[in-house]
Amino acid sequence: MDELTLLANALMALDDKLAACMKCGMCQSVCPVFGETMMEADVTRGKLTLLEKLAHRLIEDPDAVNEKLNRCLLCGSCQANCPSGVSILEIFMEARAIVAAYKGLSPLKKAIFRTLLPNPKLFGFLLKIGAPFQGLAMRDDNNAQGTATCSPLLRPFLGERHMQPLAKQTLSAKIGAVNSPAGKSRCKVAFFPGCMGDKIFTNVSEACLKVFDYHEVGVYLPTNYSCCGIPALSSGDLEGFEKMVMHNVDVLKEGSFDLIVTPCSSCTETIRSLWPKMAGKMPYKYRDAINELSQKAMDINAFLVDVLKVKPRASGRHGQTKVTYHESCHLLRSLGVSAQPRELIRMNPDYDLVEMKEADRCCGCGGSFTLSHYDLSRKIGQRKRDNIVASGAEVVATGCPACMMQLSDMLAHNGDSVTVKHTIEIYADSLK
């Protein structure tokens, strides 16, 4: 089947899904992007109208179509509030793939999605070489977030971002492969740390391993996971996505475990939902394995509370450190995990949980969105920062490493001393 026929079939399949939208406008009130720009083209209803004539608009101005489609955080707020139950995220993913197939990917994206991210050995090697020299490109600004700002050389490309430095050692290099048996828990998990958990927030992954050890959970942790695939899929690169998925399936098939547990809600949702939904063109042996593996994917917060049934220990102490909780979009809307992270926070007697206003509103990261639309991402993030500070909390916790990066950036820009933590770090600190 030639590429033109495949593109035509994809367009027809997309048209069928668009028919369910009633254009009611319920998406307007919950869209973070529309909330800042007040532009109809930025809200879901406007984008779906654009997609109704996608073939014509692609021929007319493919760059404009691509730009409008990418002005979306993929936060799922619209889908969660859609009275017609339209599969909006799936539609946007498929539309981006159609546009990418028509326009073609840039050489840089091809290199990243099809060569670098699917190849963990190459990725790890480049990071090992680059990590010691990151001080040349980044400057420590001595803020409470532990972030650094770009040197003047990189500022034209990366702007005024406050960025988390790469870990001195990746988790896989520091810990190595793990394949431990289940203890009293009678449960063994495949631990999937995600790219950030392996290369930036290794402290989060080590907290997970500490918790597994404490509860005598067996762990399967190989050293050669690739990216889960969500960056490529969000950019419309199905080929790169499939490479990453097939690599990870081959790695996971080597282990024996009950569940796949991750500290990254985006990774969890990708494995659980997007792998099976977007696996239609993969060989049958991978499709069958994906359908089996996807059902085992679970967030670390839900695993501890719902599976291990962890309970707070009796304590008369009242926490002195105020902590507030930010709902990660994928964790809340895609995975339905909201109460569990709060329960884990409450299990640390040193903390006092206080709720912030609009805890469930997107922080503005959106993965690649913050790279391509940083000014807009920062405006959305500033609203989240204001709500964090207004809560009076000294710590803000979340269940997503990408959210951690965004929150740290926003707090650093404002010179705030609020510390950003993953919920699993707070729980792990309570285990003596």
Side-chain angles (χ1 to χ4, degrees), residues 17 50 89 95-97 101 113 125 137 140 142 157 165 169 179 201 225 248-249 264 313 341 361 380-381 404:
K17 295 177 181 179
L50 168 75
L89 294 181
R96 289 183 180 188
F113 297 148
F125 174 72
D140 187 354
N142 297 312
F157 306 100
Q169 262 191 311
N179 195 2
F201 293 111
Y225 283 129
N248 283 321
V249 169
C264 174
R313 294 177 305 228
R361 193 171 183 87
I380 298 169
M404 291 174 70

Side-chain angles (χ1 to χ4, degrees), residues 214 310-318 346-350 430:
Y214 180 86
V310 295
K311 301 288 183 184
R313 294 177 305 228
S315 173
R317 294 170 58 190
H318 180 69
R346 293 190 182 99
M347 289 180 200
N348 190 322
D350 295 331
S430 71

Side-chain angles (χ1 to χ4, degrees), residues 130-150:
F133 298 101
Q134 60 183 320
L136 299 176
M138 305 297 296
R139 293 184 173 180
D140 187 354
D141 48 11
N142 297 312
N143 61 67
Q145 309 310 319
T147 57
T149 54
C150 301

Side-chain angles (χ1 to χ4, degrees), residues 22-100:
M22 300 186 301
K23 306 294 188 298
C24 65
M26 290 290 287
C27 45
Q28 280 190 345
S29 63
V30 295
C31 177
V33 178
F34 179 80
E36 292 296 330
T37 68
M38 304 305 289
M39 293 171 58
E40 178 67 16
D42 284 336
V43 80
T44 302
R45 179 175 64 179
K47 289 185 174 67
L48 293 183
T49 300
L50 168 75
L51 295 178
E52 286 175 353
K53 297 180 179 179
L54 184 56
H56 174 74
R57 295 182 191 278
L58 272 177
I59 296 170
E60 189 177 68
D61 193 345
D63 291 329
V65 172
N66 189 52
E67 165 63 17
K68 289 174 182 176
L69 274 180
N70 284 323
R71 286 173 68 88
C72 174
L73 289 153
L74 298 177
C75 67
S77 300
C78 51
Q79 182 167 297
N81 289 274
C82 179
S84 301
V86 181
S87 301
I88 297 166
L89 294 181
E90 189 175 337
I91 288 172
F92 284 175
M93 293 285 194
E94 292 180 7
R96 289 183 180 188
I98 290 170
V99 174

